[in-house]
Amino acid sequence: MANEPVEAKVKSATTATFLVSLLLAVLNSVVADDSLLGPLPSWLQPVIIAVAPAAVTFLSGWSAQHSPRGPVADA
C-alpha cells in the first residue's frame, strides 16, 4: 500500500489547496490594510481564511475522478 501511486484526486486537492493558500497569503501581503475582508465582521475574517482552503480541498477532491485500478486479488 505504501508503494501505490498517488491518486489524481489527492494531487488535485493538494494543488488546489496550495494555490488558494498562496493566493490568500499574497493578497494578505499586498492588501495589508484589511480592505479585502474589511466589510466582514472581525470575528468572521479568520473563519473565512481558514475555511477557504478546506472548501477548495473538499470540492476539488470530490469532483476529481478516481484513478483507474487493476483487478483486486483475493486474499
Side-chain angles (χ1 to χ4, degrees):
M1 182 184 267
N3 295 332
E4 295 292 324
V6 178
E7 273 199 58
K9 293 174 81 74
V10 175
K11 291 178 186 178
S12 171
T14 302
T15 302
T17 302
F18 172 74
L19 293 175
V20 168
S21 298
L22 183 63
L23 177 66
L24 285 173
V26 168
L27 287 176
N28 188 41
S29 295
V30 172
V31 188
D33 62 355
D34 293 335
S35 65
L36 180 66
L37 297 175
L40 299 174
S42 60
W43 64 268
L44 186 58
Q45 293 175 8
V47 173
I48 296 296
I49 291 171
V51 168
V56 169
T57 301
F58 172 78
L59 292 173
S60 61
W62 182 69
S63 64
Q65 294 184 358
H66 283 287
S67 299
R69 297 183 184 185
V72 177
D74 292 332

